[in-house]
Amino acid sequence: MRSSRSLEVWKMGIVNYLEALKLQENLVSLRKAQKIPDTLLSLQHPPTYTLGKRRTDHNLLIPESELKSLGAELYYTQRGGDITYHGPHQAILYPIISLRDIGLGARKYVEKLELTMIELSSLYGVDACAGKKGETGVWVGDKKIGAIGVRISSGITSHGLAFNTDPDLNYFKHIVPCGIADKEVTSLRREIDTPLPSEDVIDEQLISCFARSFGFTTITWKENCSLPSD
């Protein structure tokens, strides 16, 4: 008989990147100590560029001093991958889950994150797939619709995925997304002919796809999105 697994979801709206980073670090510590259950942060960021551990400086195509004129910020992180963009109208999931508890290795974990975004795309008739060798994330043909950058510490995950619902794609023109040159970026809005539902609906669909991909049978929604007291 299949065991029941529960996922706690925090729906947070638009959150500053550094605040989200600090929250993830705190939640990872609590998850390692088994003080919280597997947790999923669902949020968006203001316009933000982030560089991962595989960063290459020339993949930022404009001087850092010009980012402020774009209304964007730049942060260096410890996640995997190169440079990417986060912004409004992009659905972001940061899982804080124990891979040991669910019996997954790093490669399988990333594959299931890919599957999450592929399944969401399929709900709208968009044929997405995982990238070829050297092409991270999820693609529609030669256009990238979803990015993945993860960190795993003592079997606990952080960072995660970003799915382009309807972001301003002009921000991607200032970087080489994930270090992959000569490839376009797309969005769900650009790939379908019909109007999109509300972002809340899409976020909940993405969360449901995530839960199915990872075998979570129960989703609980956290109303007061603050850390538990000691």
Side-chain angles (χ1 to χ4, degrees):
M1 184 175 178
R2 187 180 183 183
S3 61
S4 175
R5 289 213 301 268
S6 179
L7 178 69
E8 185 172 274
V9 177
W10 296 24
K11 289 194 70 175
M12 305 189 71
I14 295 180
V15 181
N16 174 272
Y17 187 81
L18 280 185
E19 291 178 13
L21 190 60
K22 181 175 175 58
L23 175 60
Q24 289 180 78
E25 290 170 352
N26 289 333
L27 290 173
V28 166
S29 295
L30 291 169
R31 187 68 187 90
K32 286 179 181 178
Q34 298 185 338
K35 292 183 177 179
I36 60 170
D38 284 332
T39 300
L40 183 68
L41 307 183
S42 173
L43 50 81
Q44 297 183 20
H45 290 308
T48 304
Y49 294 104
T50 67
L51 284 150
K53 290 190 292 185
R54 285 177 43 222
R55 52 185 170 257
T56 307
D57 289 341
H58 65 254
N59 287 332
L60 177 64
L61 302 179
I62 62 172
E64 286 189 37
S65 58
E66 294 184 20
L67 291 176
K68 188 169 286 188
S69 67
L70 299 176
E73 296 181 316
L74 176 69
Y75 295 106
Y76 294 82
T77 78
Q78 292 302 306
R79 64 163 172 78
D82 203 299
I83 191 167
T84 194
Y85 167 76
H86 295 310
H89 313 300
Q90 183 186 64
I92 294 172
L93 296 183
Y94 291 146
I96 315 295
I97 65 175
S98 171
L99 294 185
R100 292 173 182 170
D101 284 0
I102 57 180
L104 291 180
R107 181 62 247 173
K108 197 68 177 177
Y109 172 62
V110 170
E111 288 175 358
K112 285 183 176 291
L113 291 180
E114 293 167 344
L115 181 62
T116 297
M117 293 189 281
I118 291 169
E119 184 179 342
L120 177 67
S121 300
S122 72
L123 296 178
Y124 293 89
V126 176
D127 185 15
C129 63
K132 301 171 185 175
K133 187 175 181 180
E135 297 179 349
T136 61
V138 170
W139 299 73
V140 180
D142 286 334
K143 297 172 290 184
K144 191 168 191 174
I145 196 169
I148 293 174
V150 304
R151 187 181 187 197
I152 301 170
S153 175
S154 300
I156 307 299
T157 66
S158 58
H159 298 275
L161 65 82
F163 182 84
N164 294 335
T165 305
D166 189 20
D168 182 348
L169 297 180
N170 287 317
Y171 280 98
F172 288 96
K173 295 178 180 178
H174 304 294
I175 62 174
V176 180
C178 300
I180 302 171
D182 303 321
K183 299 286 185 178
E184 293 183 40
V185 176
T186 191
S187 65
L188 187 60
R189 167 67 279 168
R190 182 163 287 191
E191 294 299 321
I192 67 173
D193 297 325
T194 56
L196 290 175
S198 71
E199 288 188 341
D200 277 345
V201 168
I202 296 174
D203 289 345
E204 291 183 10
Q205 289 172 332
L206 184 61
I207 291 164
S208 294
C209 291
F210 175 89
R212 282 193 295 274
S213 293
F214 285 89
F216 289 104
T217 52
T218 305
I219 298 176
T220 58
W221 303 88
K222 188 174 179 71
E223 300 295 333
N224 179 23
C225 294
S226 59
L227 291 173
S229 57
D230 292 331

